[in-house]
Amino acid sequence: MQKVGFFKSIHVKLVLIYMLLIIIALQIIGIYFMKQLETNLKTNFQDSIRQRIELVHYSIREEMLKKESDDTAPPLEVRLGTILHEFSTEDINKIYVVNNRNRILAISGANNQSLVGQRANEENIRKAISAETMFDSISLDRDTGKRVWVLASPITETVGPSGEVMGAVYVESNIEKVYEQLSEINRIFAAGIAMSLVITIILGILVARTITRPISDMRKQAQAMSRGNYSRKVRVYGTDEIGQLAIAFNHLTNRLQEAQSTTEAERRKLASVLSNMTDGVIATDRKGKIILINEPALELLHDSRETTLNRPIASVLGLDQEYSFEDLIHMKEPVNLDFSMNDAPYILRANFSVIQKETGFVNGLITVLHDITEQEKIDMERREFVANVSHELRTPLTTMRSYLEALADGAWRDENIAPTFLNVTQTETERMIRLVNDLLQLSKMDSQEYELNFEFVEFNKFFTRIIDRFEMSKSQHVEFIRLLPEKSYYVDIDTDKLTQVIDNIISNALKYSPDGGNIRFGFTVHDNMLRVMISDDGMGIPKENVGRIFDRFYRVDRARARSMGGTGLGLAIAREMIEAHGGKIWAESEEGQGTTIFFTLPYALDEAEDWE
């Protein structure tokens, strides 16, 4: 998980928010406090000055109203100067009296006496005399650059606004001291705010940790859970909302651990089922791309996992030219996939099942593959077998019906024709009996309902007796050539069944051997097996048909074989018999050069050795 930046941390955010709230609160309190303090200090200062000016104002009016009857009395300017000198304090920078013509009558301060008699140019004096009311303002002193409070109050003959204005009192007071006090208070207040912020930061960090520590633990737990570790638990620091959240988080961890265990168990079950299934299973996402495929499916498709994952299923199954993914979703019937190559048939059957939510939303597709090559082959052989049996039975029955109809129509009265017709009917009947017997024998062998009666015999003598029997009963000029070893070899066989096998092979050799031809008999020893050989000089078998002569009802030349009375099952029975004895049978032939049949049997050197 990505590391949280310093300024993005909730811990820092909480501390910053806490600080900002305190700063805003302190600023609001400070602004309000300073405004109120400034107002109070200025009001107190101005009230103090006004009270003293009222006394000055009264004294000056009294002096200006006196009659100068006594020649020895000091002049008005001196008397006014004395009054102003008495009322001069550190708070008052300048105070002077002007008459109604704006002439300065008296002024405080020894350095300012040169201004007596000059015209006063202050705007507030003119306003006060003309408006007969008091005017004040705060301005900067041109000499010192400090703030002063200027007050101009009119002097009337009588108390109240109805009297005639005799002049005005002008006062410049040092209000800068008030602002200096405010500045000092501001510095003290700022120091207090700084100390408060330090304490606030410390408290904010401590308070934030009580909130962020459980959250940090939960974040670490979430990281551990993402890695599959559910053993770690979040520490519970209290019973408040954060503590309840930690308890709920631990409960969620336990539930997730149980769900993960259940999911993992189910996943292992599914993986085990999929890996041990003989059928191939393919799963896709909602877009038709393969997201899961088991090993049997890979083997059936002869493909690798890397090349199949994330590919469209229609392309992997070779159906992209015929069907789209939407067609496969709505496919109700299985689809056969033909991957046959030349003479090697290979057919798969695909069954499709949709993965669908309760709302009907399609999440994907499940495809199950079956190898039906053998099933198709068996079905084809069954159809071919039924067709062959029907054909083999229909031919003699048709012949018999024709001859029997002729006999029924009166041919039985003809002494020359009747015996021939009856002979043909008897021959076809015997042929059908042989066919039925062969089919019954094959059926028993397929269902393994037969038993072999093994006995230990010397194969040299056994083989010789069968050859002698055929040599004595042959009707054509064919020479038998024996290539048998002198050493005796013993085999454990069912003599009746093996006699039938050899009889079928020799009968075929006699049928297809021309007059004057040879039939060769012999056997050799290879790897504890007797390899028996029966070879003729017949027409031979085409190379492409040699491997099929042991199939049921297979004939290279059907017309000639049927005319010779064969059923097409002799070599098929021979193969079943030889394989039941633990051997193999095969043929080697060249067209026009004859055919050689080989089969193998387990053997022992002599009877005594076997008994030992």
PDB file of all heavy atoms in Angstrom, residues 274-275 277-283 290 292-305 308 313 316-317 337 339 346 348 367-371:
ATOM      1  N   LEU A 274     -11.459 -30.292 -10.684  1.00  0.00           N
ATOM      2  CA  LEU A 274     -11.117 -29.963 -12.065  1.00  0.00           C
ATOM      3  C   LEU A 274      -9.893 -30.723 -12.541  1.00  0.00           C
ATOM      4  O   LEU A 274      -9.831 -31.175 -13.687  1.00  0.00           O
ATOM      5  CB  LEU A 274     -10.874 -28.455 -12.204  1.00  0.00           C
ATOM      6  CG  LEU A 274     -12.108 -27.557 -12.066  1.00  0.00           C
ATOM      7  CD1 LEU A 274     -11.710 -26.099 -12.147  1.00  0.00           C
ATOM      8  CD2 LEU A 274     -13.133 -27.874 -13.152  1.00  0.00           C
ATOM      9  N   SER A 275      -8.891 -30.855 -11.648  1.00  0.00           N
ATOM     10  CA  SER A 275      -7.653 -31.524 -12.059  1.00  0.00           C
ATOM     11  C   SER A 275      -7.848 -33.025 -12.205  1.00  0.00           C
ATOM     12  O   SER A 275      -7.135 -33.673 -12.978  1.00  0.00           O
ATOM     13  CB  SER A 275      -6.538 -31.232 -11.052  1.00  0.00           C
ATOM     14  OG  SER A 275      -6.891 -31.702  -9.765  1.00  0.00           O
ATOM     15  N   MET A 277     -10.782 -34.501 -13.036  1.00  0.00           N
ATOM     16  CA  MET A 277     -11.824 -34.831 -14.006  1.00  0.00           C
ATOM     17  C   MET A 277     -11.202 -35.352 -15.295  1.00  0.00           C
ATOM     18  O   MET A 277     -10.141 -34.890 -15.722  1.00  0.00           O
ATOM     19  CB  MET A 277     -12.675 -33.599 -14.315  1.00  0.00           C
ATOM     20  CG  MET A 277     -13.630 -33.197 -13.222  1.00  0.00           C
ATOM     21  SD  MET A 277     -14.588 -31.728 -13.672  1.00  0.00           S
ATOM     22  CE  MET A 277     -15.535 -32.347 -15.056  1.00  0.00           C
ATOM     23  N   THR A 278     -11.843 -36.325 -15.868  1.00  0.00           N
ATOM     24  CA  THR A 278     -11.387 -36.809 -17.174  1.00  0.00           C
ATOM     25  C   THR A 278     -11.895 -35.917 -18.294  1.00  0.00           C
ATOM     26  O   THR A 278     -11.324 -35.911 -19.383  1.00  0.00           O
ATOM     27  CB  THR A 278     -11.866 -38.251 -17.397  1.00  0.00           C
ATOM     28  OG1 THR A 278     -13.295 -38.295 -17.283  1.00  0.00           O
ATOM     29  CG2 THR A 278     -11.243 -39.183 -16.370  1.00  0.00           C
ATOM     30  N   ASP A 279     -12.977 -35.208 -18.005  1.00  0.00           N
ATOM     31  CA  ASP A 279     -13.522 -34.282 -18.996  1.00  0.00           C
ATOM     32  C   ASP A 279     -12.813 -32.943 -18.893  1.00  0.00           C
ATOM     33  O   ASP A 279     -12.377 -32.528 -17.822  1.00  0.00           O
ATOM     34  CB  ASP A 279     -15.024 -34.081 -18.788  1.00  0.00           C
ATOM     35  CG  ASP A 279     -15.805 -35.366 -18.983  1.00  0.00           C
ATOM     36  OD1 ASP A 279     -15.337 -36.198 -19.776  1.00  0.00           O
ATOM     37  OD2 ASP A 279     -16.837 -35.530 -18.336  1.00  0.00           O
ATOM     38  N   GLY A 280     -12.699 -32.269 -20.015  1.00  0.00           N
ATOM     39  CA  GLY A 280     -12.106 -30.943 -20.031  1.00  0.00           C
ATOM     40  C   GLY A 280     -13.130 -29.892 -19.646  1.00  0.00           C
ATOM     41  O   GLY A 280     -14.280 -29.947 -20.065  1.00  0.00           O
ATOM     42  N   VAL A 281     -12.719 -28.924 -18.829  1.00  0.00           N
ATOM     43  CA  VAL A 281     -13.597 -27.849 -18.384  1.00  0.00           C
ATOM     44  C   VAL A 281     -12.941 -26.507 -18.713  1.00  0.00           C
ATOM     45  O   VAL A 281     -11.763 -26.295 -18.407  1.00  0.00           O
ATOM     46  CB  VAL A 281     -13.880 -27.931 -16.870  1.00  0.00           C
ATOM     47  CG1 VAL A 281     -14.769 -26.781 -16.424  1.00  0.00           C
ATOM     48  CG2 VAL A 281     -14.545 -29.254 -16.537  1.00  0.00           C
ATOM     49  N   ILE A 282     -13.709 -25.629 -19.329  1.00  0.00           N
ATOM     50  CA  ILE A 282     -13.231 -24.289 -19.680  1.00  0.00           C
ATOM     51  C   ILE A 282     -14.251 -23.282 -19.161  1.00  0.00           C
ATOM     52  O   ILE A 282     -15.456 -23.456 -19.345  1.00  0.00           O
ATOM     53  CB  ILE A 282     -13.063 -24.130 -21.205  1.00  0.00           C
ATOM     54  CG1 ILE A 282     -12.123 -25.201 -21.771  1.00  0.00           C
ATOM     55  CG2 ILE A 282     -12.534 -22.747 -21.553  1.00  0.00           C
ATOM     56  CD1 ILE A 282     -12.039 -25.199 -23.284  1.00  0.00           C
ATOM     57  N   ALA A 283     -13.758 -22.215 -18.510  1.00  0.00           N
ATOM     58  CA  ALA A 283     -14.620 -21.129 -18.025  1.00  0.00           C
ATOM     59  C   ALA A 283     -14.187 -19.819 -18.667  1.00  0.00           C
ATOM     60  O   ALA A 283     -12.996 -19.586 -18.882  1.00  0.00           O
ATOM     61  CB  ALA A 283     -14.556 -21.015 -16.501  1.00  0.00           C
ATOM     62  N   ILE A 290     -11.228 -16.794 -22.140  1.00  0.00           N
ATOM     63  CA  ILE A 290     -10.983 -17.912 -21.231  1.00  0.00           C
ATOM     64  C   ILE A 290     -10.252 -17.413 -19.996  1.00  0.00           C
ATOM     65  O   ILE A 290      -9.211 -16.751 -20.087  1.00  0.00           O
ATOM     66  CB  ILE A 290     -10.178 -19.011 -21.933  1.00  0.00           C
ATOM     67  CG1 ILE A 290     -11.004 -19.598 -23.089  1.00  0.00           C
ATOM     68  CG2 ILE A 290      -9.784 -20.108 -20.952  1.00  0.00           C
ATOM     69  CD1 ILE A 290     -10.251 -20.606 -23.922  1.00  0.00           C
ATOM     70  N   LEU A 292     -10.235 -19.773 -17.115  1.00  0.00           N
ATOM     71  CA  LEU A 292      -9.879 -20.998 -16.398  1.00  0.00           C
ATOM     72  C   LEU A 292      -9.967 -22.169 -17.364  1.00  0.00           C
ATOM     73  O   LEU A 292     -10.930 -22.266 -18.130  1.00  0.00           O
ATOM     74  CB  LEU A 292     -10.816 -21.212 -15.208  1.00  0.00           C
ATOM     75  CG  LEU A 292     -10.529 -22.400 -14.282  1.00  0.00           C
ATOM     76  CD1 LEU A 292     -10.873 -22.031 -12.847  1.00  0.00           C
ATOM     77  CD2 LEU A 292     -11.329 -23.638 -14.700  1.00  0.00           C
ATOM     78  N   ILE A 293      -8.967 -23.036 -17.283  1.00  0.00           N
ATOM     79  CA  ILE A 293      -8.969 -24.245 -18.110  1.00  0.00           C
ATOM     80  C   ILE A 293      -8.180 -25.313 -17.369  1.00  0.00           C
ATOM     81  O   ILE A 293      -7.102 -25.037 -16.828  1.00  0.00           O
ATOM     82  CB  ILE A 293      -8.369 -23.968 -19.512  1.00  0.00           C
ATOM     83  CG1 ILE A 293      -8.443 -25.221 -20.388  1.00  0.00           C
ATOM     84  CG2 ILE A 293      -6.964 -23.415 -19.427  1.00  0.00           C
ATOM     85  CD1 ILE A 293      -8.124 -24.949 -21.851  1.00  0.00           C
ATOM     86  N   ASN A 294      -8.734 -26.534 -17.274  1.00  0.00           N
ATOM     87  CA  ASN A 294      -8.037 -27.579 -16.541  1.00  0.00           C
ATOM     88  C   ASN A 294      -7.132 -28.385 -17.474  1.00  0.00           C
ATOM     89  O   ASN A 294      -7.160 -28.242 -18.703  1.00  0.00           O
ATOM     90  CB  ASN A 294      -9.032 -28.482 -15.805  1.00  0.00           C
ATOM     91  CG  ASN A 294      -9.923 -29.259 -16.768  1.00  0.00           C
ATOM     92  OD1 ASN A 294      -9.951 -28.995 -17.965  1.00  0.00           O
ATOM     93  ND2 ASN A 294     -10.663 -30.216 -16.237  1.00  0.00           N
ATOM     94  N   GLU A 295      -6.323 -29.246 -16.861  1.00  0.00           N
ATOM     95  CA  GLU A 295      -5.331 -30.007 -17.623  1.00  0.00           C
ATOM     96  C   GLU A 295      -5.970 -30.943 -18.650  1.00  0.00           C
ATOM     97  O   GLU A 295      -5.474 -31.042 -19.777  1.00  0.00           O
ATOM     98  CB  GLU A 295      -4.432 -30.802 -16.670  1.00  0.00           C
ATOM     99  CG  GLU A 295      -3.473 -29.945 -15.865  1.00  0.00           C
ATOM    100  CD  GLU A 295      -2.498 -29.201 -16.755  1.00  0.00           C
ATOM    101  OE1 GLU A 295      -2.130 -29.746 -17.818  1.00  0.00           O
ATOM    102  OE2 GLU A 295      -2.094 -28.091 -16.417  1.00  0.00           O
ATOM    103  N   PRO A 296      -7.050 -31.678 -18.292  1.00  0.00           N
ATOM    104  CA  PRO A 296      -7.676 -32.519 -19.324  1.00  0.00           C
ATOM    105  C   PRO A 296      -8.111 -31.735 -20.561  1.00  0.00           C
ATOM    106  O   PRO A 296      -7.987 -32.227 -21.683  1.00  0.00           O
ATOM    107  CB  PRO A 296      -8.871 -33.136 -18.597  1.00  0.00           C
ATOM    108  CG  PRO A 296      -8.472 -33.160 -17.163  1.00  0.00           C
ATOM    109  CD  PRO A 296      -7.666 -31.923 -16.971  1.00  0.00           C
ATOM    110  N   ALA A 297      -8.618 -30.515 -20.362  1.00  0.00           N
ATOM    111  CA  ALA A 297      -9.018 -29.697 -21.512  1.00  0.00           C
ATOM    112  C   ALA A 297      -7.809 -29.333 -22.364  1.00  0.00           C
ATOM    113  O   ALA A 297      -7.874 -29.353 -23.604  1.00  0.00           O
ATOM    114  CB  ALA A 297      -9.735 -28.438 -21.039  1.00  0.00           C
ATOM    115  N   LEU A 298      -6.693 -29.005 -21.704  1.00  0.00           N
ATOM    116  CA  LEU A 298      -5.465 -28.691 -22.456  1.00  0.00           C
ATOM    117  C   LEU A 298      -4.987 -29.902 -23.242  1.00  0.00           C
ATOM    118  O   LEU A 298      -4.536 -29.780 -24.386  1.00  0.00           O
ATOM    119  CB  LEU A 298      -4.373 -28.208 -21.496  1.00  0.00           C
ATOM    120  CG  LEU A 298      -4.631 -26.859 -20.795  1.00  0.00           C
ATOM    121  CD1 LEU A 298      -3.552 -26.594 -19.757  1.00  0.00           C
ATOM    122  CD2 LEU A 298      -4.655 -25.730 -21.816  1.00  0.00           C
ATOM    123  N   GLU A 299      -5.085 -31.090 -22.610  1.00  0.00           N
ATOM    124  CA  GLU A 299      -4.670 -32.310 -23.312  1.00  0.00           C
ATOM    125  C   GLU A 299      -5.599 -32.619 -24.476  1.00  0.00           C
ATOM    126  O   GLU A 299      -5.143 -33.039 -25.550  1.00  0.00           O
ATOM    127  CB  GLU A 299      -4.634 -33.477 -22.325  1.00  0.00           C
ATOM    128  CG  GLU A 299      -3.557 -33.324 -21.242  1.00  0.00           C
ATOM    129  CD  GLU A 299      -3.628 -34.442 -20.219  1.00  0.00           C
ATOM    130  OE1 GLU A 299      -4.484 -35.338 -20.388  1.00  0.00           O
ATOM    131  OE2 GLU A 299      -2.823 -34.430 -19.263  1.00  0.00           O
ATOM    132  N   LEU A 300      -6.897 -32.410 -24.272  1.00  0.00           N
ATOM    133  CA  LEU A 300      -7.840 -32.682 -25.355  1.00  0.00           C
ATOM    134  C   LEU A 300      -7.627 -31.734 -26.535  1.00  0.00           C
ATOM    135  O   LEU A 300      -7.773 -32.126 -27.695  1.00  0.00           O
ATOM    136  CB  LEU A 300      -9.272 -32.567 -24.844  1.00  0.00           C
ATOM    137  CG  LEU A 300      -9.748 -33.656 -23.878  1.00  0.00           C
ATOM    138  CD1 LEU A 300     -11.116 -33.307 -23.312  1.00  0.00           C
ATOM    139  CD2 LEU A 300      -9.804 -35.014 -24.572  1.00  0.00           C
ATOM    140  N   LEU A 301      -7.289 -30.472 -26.216  1.00  0.00           N
ATOM    141  CA  LEU A 301      -7.093 -29.474 -27.277  1.00  0.00           C
ATOM    142  C   LEU A 301      -5.664 -29.456 -27.804  1.00  0.00           C
ATOM    143  O   LEU A 301      -5.382 -28.711 -28.746  1.00  0.00           O
ATOM    144  CB  LEU A 301      -7.455 -28.080 -26.749  1.00  0.00           C
ATOM    145  CG  LEU A 301      -8.933 -27.856 -26.379  1.00  0.00           C
ATOM    146  CD1 LEU A 301      -9.100 -26.514 -25.709  1.00  0.00           C
ATOM    147  CD2 LEU A 301      -9.814 -27.940 -27.622  1.00  0.00           C
ATOM    148  N   HIS A 302      -4.778 -30.241 -27.155  1.00  0.00           N
ATOM    149  CA  HIS A 302      -3.356 -30.269 -27.549  1.00  0.00           C
ATOM    150  C   HIS A 302      -2.790 -28.846 -27.570  1.00  0.00           C
ATOM    151  O   HIS A 302      -2.168 -28.412 -28.540  1.00  0.00           O
ATOM    152  CB  HIS A 302      -3.177 -30.922 -28.922  1.00  0.00           C
ATOM    153  CG  HIS A 302      -3.702 -32.322 -28.988  1.00  0.00           C
ATOM    154  ND1 HIS A 302      -3.232 -33.337 -28.197  1.00  0.00           N
ATOM    155  CD2 HIS A 302      -4.701 -32.869 -29.739  1.00  0.00           C
ATOM    156  CE1 HIS A 302      -3.891 -34.465 -28.463  1.00  0.00           C
ATOM    157  NE2 HIS A 302      -4.802 -34.201 -29.390  1.00  0.00           N
ATOM    158  N   ASP A 303      -3.038 -28.131 -26.477  1.00  0.00           N
ATOM    159  CA  ASP A 303      -2.612 -26.739 -26.395  1.00  0.00           C
ATOM    160  C   ASP A 303      -2.006 -26.494 -25.019  1.00  0.00           C
ATOM    161  O   ASP A 303      -2.055 -27.362 -24.131  1.00  0.00           O
ATOM    162  CB  ASP A 303      -3.805 -25.802 -26.630  1.00  0.00           C
ATOM    163  CG  ASP A 303      -3.395 -24.521 -27.341  1.00  0.00           C
ATOM    164  OD1 ASP A 303      -2.217 -24.139 -27.208  1.00  0.00           O
ATOM    165  OD2 ASP A 303      -4.248 -23.924 -28.030  1.00  0.00           O
ATOM    166  N   SER A 304      -1.440 -25.309 -24.810  1.00  0.00           N
ATOM    167  CA  SER A 304      -0.837 -24.943 -23.528  1.00  0.00           C
ATOM    168  C   SER A 304      -1.682 -23.873 -22.850  1.00  0.00           C
ATOM    169  O   SER A 304      -2.454 -23.165 -23.507  1.00  0.00           O
ATOM    170  CB  SER A 304       0.592 -24.430 -23.718  1.00  0.00           C
ATOM    171  OG  SER A 304       0.594 -23.244 -24.489  1.00  0.00           O
ATOM    172  N   ARG A 305      -1.510 -23.754 -21.532  1.00  0.00           N
ATOM    173  CA  ARG A 305      -2.285 -22.789 -20.763  1.00  0.00           C
ATOM    174  C   ARG A 305      -1.957 -21.356 -21.181  1.00  0.00           C
ATOM    175  O   ARG A 305      -2.826 -20.493 -21.225  1.00  0.00           O
ATOM    176  CB  ARG A 305      -2.007 -22.983 -19.265  1.00  0.00           C
ATOM    177  CG  ARG A 305      -2.971 -22.252 -18.352  1.00  0.00           C
ATOM    178  CD  ARG A 305      -2.628 -22.532 -16.892  1.00  0.00           C
ATOM    179  NE  ARG A 305      -2.631 -23.955 -16.624  1.00  0.00           N
ATOM    180  CZ  ARG A 305      -3.704 -24.659 -16.319  1.00  0.00           C
ATOM    181  NH1 ARG A 305      -4.873 -24.053 -16.246  1.00  0.00           N
ATOM    182  NH2 ARG A 305      -3.628 -25.959 -16.070  1.00  0.00           N
ATOM    183  N   THR A 308      -3.839 -20.308 -24.341  1.00  0.00           N
ATOM    184  CA  THR A 308      -5.302 -20.364 -24.335  1.00  0.00           C
ATOM    185  C   THR A 308      -5.936 -19.307 -23.430  1.00  0.00           C
ATOM    186  O   THR A 308      -7.020 -18.806 -23.744  1.00  0.00           O
ATOM    187  CB  THR A 308      -5.793 -21.749 -23.883  1.00  0.00           C
ATOM    188  OG1 THR A 308      -5.182 -22.074 -22.621  1.00  0.00           O
ATOM    189  CG2 THR A 308      -5.439 -22.802 -24.898  1.00  0.00           C
ATOM    190  N   ILE A 313     -13.109 -18.015 -26.565  1.00  0.00           N
ATOM    191  CA  ILE A 313     -13.342 -19.450 -26.549  1.00  0.00           C
ATOM    192  C   ILE A 313     -13.733 -19.972 -27.926  1.00  0.00           C
ATOM    193  O   ILE A 313     -13.369 -21.090 -28.298  1.00  0.00           O
ATOM    194  CB  ILE A 313     -14.413 -19.806 -25.491  1.00  0.00           C
ATOM    195  CG1 ILE A 313     -14.513 -21.327 -25.347  1.00  0.00           C
ATOM    196  CG2 ILE A 313     -15.753 -19.187 -25.846  1.00  0.00           C
ATOM    197  CD1 ILE A 313     -15.353 -21.769 -24.187  1.00  0.00           C
ATOM    198  N   VAL A 316     -10.527 -20.657 -29.743  1.00  0.00           N
ATOM    199  CA  VAL A 316      -9.794 -21.820 -29.235  1.00  0.00           C
ATOM    200  C   VAL A 316     -10.457 -23.115 -29.696  1.00  0.00           C
ATOM    201  O   VAL A 316      -9.778 -24.089 -30.045  1.00  0.00           O
ATOM    202  CB  VAL A 316      -9.713 -21.756 -27.701  1.00  0.00           C
ATOM    203  CG1 VAL A 316      -9.117 -23.044 -27.142  1.00  0.00           C
ATOM    204  CG2 VAL A 316      -8.868 -20.568 -27.270  1.00  0.00           C
ATOM    205  N   LEU A 317     -11.796 -23.133 -29.733  1.00  0.00           N
ATOM    206  CA  LEU A 317     -12.524 -24.346 -30.140  1.00  0.00           C
ATOM    207  C   LEU A 317     -12.682 -24.452 -31.649  1.00  0.00           C
ATOM    208  O   LEU A 317     -13.229 -25.436 -32.147  1.00  0.00           O
ATOM    209  CB  LEU A 317     -13.908 -24.368 -29.490  1.00  0.00           C
ATOM    210  CG  LEU A 317     -13.943 -24.399 -27.955  1.00  0.00           C
ATOM    211  CD1 LEU A 317     -15.380 -24.427 -27.466  1.00  0.00           C
ATOM    212  CD2 LEU A 317     -13.172 -25.595 -27.416  1.00  0.00           C
ATOM    213  N   LEU A 337     -16.788 -31.141 -32.284  1.00  0.00           N
ATOM    214  CA  LEU A 337     -15.602 -30.463 -32.803  1.00  0.00           C
ATOM    215  C   LEU A 337     -14.730 -31.496 -33.494  1.00  0.00           C
ATOM    216  O   LEU A 337     -14.226 -32.425 -32.864  1.00  0.00           O
ATOM    217  CB  LEU A 337     -14.820 -29.797 -31.655  1.00  0.00           C
ATOM    218  CG  LEU A 337     -15.635 -28.948 -30.678  1.00  0.00           C
ATOM    219  CD1 LEU A 337     -14.755 -28.468 -29.543  1.00  0.00           C
ATOM    220  CD2 LEU A 337     -16.266 -27.764 -31.406  1.00  0.00           C
ATOM    221  N   PHE A 339     -11.450 -32.490 -35.056  1.00  0.00           N
ATOM    222  CA  PHE A 339     -10.028 -32.166 -35.181  1.00  0.00           C
ATOM    223  C   PHE A 339      -9.282 -33.299 -35.888  1.00  0.00           C
ATOM    224  O   PHE A 339      -8.074 -33.486 -35.666  1.00  0.00           O
ATOM    225  CB  PHE A 339      -9.411 -31.932 -33.795  1.00  0.00           C
ATOM    226  CG  PHE A 339      -9.950 -30.724 -33.097  1.00  0.00           C
ATOM    227  CD1 PHE A 339     -10.892 -30.848 -32.081  1.00  0.00           C
ATOM    228  CD2 PHE A 339      -9.525 -29.453 -33.438  1.00  0.00           C
ATOM    229  CE1 PHE A 339     -11.397 -29.737 -31.419  1.00  0.00           C
ATOM    230  CE2 PHE A 339     -10.020 -28.335 -32.792  1.00  0.00           C
ATOM    231  CZ  PHE A 339     -10.953 -28.477 -31.783  1.00  0.00           C
ATOM    232  N   TYR A 346     -10.364 -37.650 -34.819  1.00  0.00           N
ATOM    233  CA  TYR A 346     -10.302 -37.051 -33.475  1.00  0.00           C
ATOM    234  C   TYR A 346     -11.471 -36.091 -33.345  1.00  0.00           C
ATOM    235  O   TYR A 346     -11.486 -35.026 -33.948  1.00  0.00           O
ATOM    236  CB  TYR A 346      -8.975 -36.328 -33.269  1.00  0.00           C
ATOM    237  CG  TYR A 346      -8.763 -35.852 -31.847  1.00  0.00           C
ATOM    238  CD1 TYR A 346      -8.786 -36.748 -30.790  1.00  0.00           C
ATOM    239  CD2 TYR A 346      -8.567 -34.507 -31.572  1.00  0.00           C
ATOM    240  CE1 TYR A 346      -8.584 -36.332 -29.495  1.00  0.00           C
ATOM    241  CE2 TYR A 346      -8.373 -34.062 -30.275  1.00  0.00           C
ATOM    242  CZ  TYR A 346      -8.380 -34.981 -29.233  1.00  0.00           C
ATOM    243  OH  TYR A 346      -8.193 -34.552 -27.949  1.00  0.00           O
ATOM    244  N   LEU A 348     -14.276 -34.196 -30.639  1.00  0.00           N
ATOM    245  CA  LEU A 348     -14.656 -33.786 -29.295  1.00  0.00           C
ATOM    246  C   LEU A 348     -16.097 -33.295 -29.306  1.00  0.00           C
ATOM    247  O   LEU A 348     -16.576 -32.780 -30.313  1.00  0.00           O
ATOM    248  CB  LEU A 348     -13.737 -32.670 -28.788  1.00  0.00           C
ATOM    249  CG  LEU A 348     -12.235 -32.952 -28.750  1.00  0.00           C
ATOM    250  CD1 LEU A 348     -11.491 -31.726 -28.251  1.00  0.00           C
ATOM    251  CD2 LEU A 348     -11.937 -34.156 -27.871  1.00  0.00           C
ATOM    252  N   THR A 367     -17.768 -24.528 -20.442  1.00  0.00           N
ATOM    253  CA  THR A 367     -17.745 -25.497 -21.539  1.00  0.00           C
ATOM    254  C   THR A 367     -17.115 -26.794 -21.046  1.00  0.00           C
ATOM    255  O   THR A 367     -16.034 -26.775 -20.452  1.00  0.00           O
ATOM    256  CB  THR A 367     -16.939 -24.957 -22.728  1.00  0.00           C
ATOM    257  OG1 THR A 367     -17.475 -23.693 -23.129  1.00  0.00           O
ATOM    258  CG2 THR A 367     -16.997 -25.917 -23.894  1.00  0.00           C
ATOM    259  N   VAL A 368     -17.808 -27.904 -21.271  1.00  0.00           N
ATOM    260  CA  VAL A 368     -17.301 -29.229 -20.893  1.00  0.00           C
ATOM    261  C   VAL A 368     -16.995 -29.996 -22.176  1.00  0.00           C
ATOM    262  O   VAL A 368     -17.851 -30.113 -23.059  1.00  0.00           O
ATOM    263  CB  VAL A 368     -18.322 -29.996 -20.029  1.00  0.00           C
ATOM    264  CG1 VAL A 368     -17.767 -31.362 -19.645  1.00  0.00           C
ATOM    265  CG2 VAL A 368     -18.660 -29.194 -18.777  1.00  0.00           C
ATOM    266  N   LEU A 369     -15.754 -30.503 -22.258  1.00  0.00           N
ATOM    267  CA  LEU A 369     -15.304 -31.223 -23.452  1.00  0.00           C
ATOM    268  C   LEU A 369     -15.224 -32.714 -23.171  1.00  0.00           C
ATOM    269  O   LEU A 369     -14.704 -33.136 -22.128  1.00  0.00           O
ATOM    270  CB  LEU A 369     -13.923 -30.699 -23.896  1.00  0.00           C
ATOM    271  CG  LEU A 369     -13.826 -29.205 -24.260  1.00  0.00           C
ATOM    272  CD1 LEU A 369     -12.396 -28.864 -24.631  1.00  0.00           C
ATOM    273  CD2 LEU A 369     -14.761 -28.873 -25.416  1.00  0.00           C
ATOM    274  N   HIS A 370     -15.719 -33.528 -24.103  1.00  0.00           N
ATOM    275  CA  HIS A 370     -15.622 -34.990 -24.031  1.00  0.00           C
ATOM    276  C   HIS A 370     -14.958 -35.482 -25.313  1.00  0.00           C
ATOM    277  O   HIS A 370     -15.260 -34.986 -26.401  1.00  0.00           O
ATOM    278  CB  HIS A 370     -17.007 -35.641 -23.914  1.00  0.00           C
ATOM    279  CG  HIS A 370     -17.852 -35.095 -22.803  1.00  0.00           C
ATOM    280  ND1 HIS A 370     -17.816 -35.581 -21.520  1.00  0.00           N
ATOM    281  CD2 HIS A 370     -18.756 -34.077 -22.797  1.00  0.00           C
ATOM    282  CE1 HIS A 370     -18.680 -34.895 -20.779  1.00  0.00           C
ATOM    283  NE2 HIS A 370     -19.255 -33.980 -21.528  1.00  0.00           N
ATOM    284  N   ASP A 371     -14.104 -36.473 -25.147  1.00  0.00           N
ATOM    285  CA  ASP A 371     -13.511 -37.123 -26.317  1.00  0.00           C
ATOM    286  C   ASP A 371     -14.453 -38.239 -26.759  1.00  0.00           C
ATOM    287  O   ASP A 371     -14.614 -39.250 -26.065  1.00  0.00           O
ATOM    288  CB  ASP A 371     -12.134 -37.690 -25.959  1.00  0.00           C
ATOM    289  CG  ASP A 371     -11.419 -38.264 -27.185  1.00  0.00           C
ATOM    290  OD1 ASP A 371     -12.029 -38.279 -28.278  1.00  0.00           O
ATOM    291  OD2 ASP A 371     -10.255 -38.691 -27.050  1.00  0.00           O
TER     292      ASP A 371
END
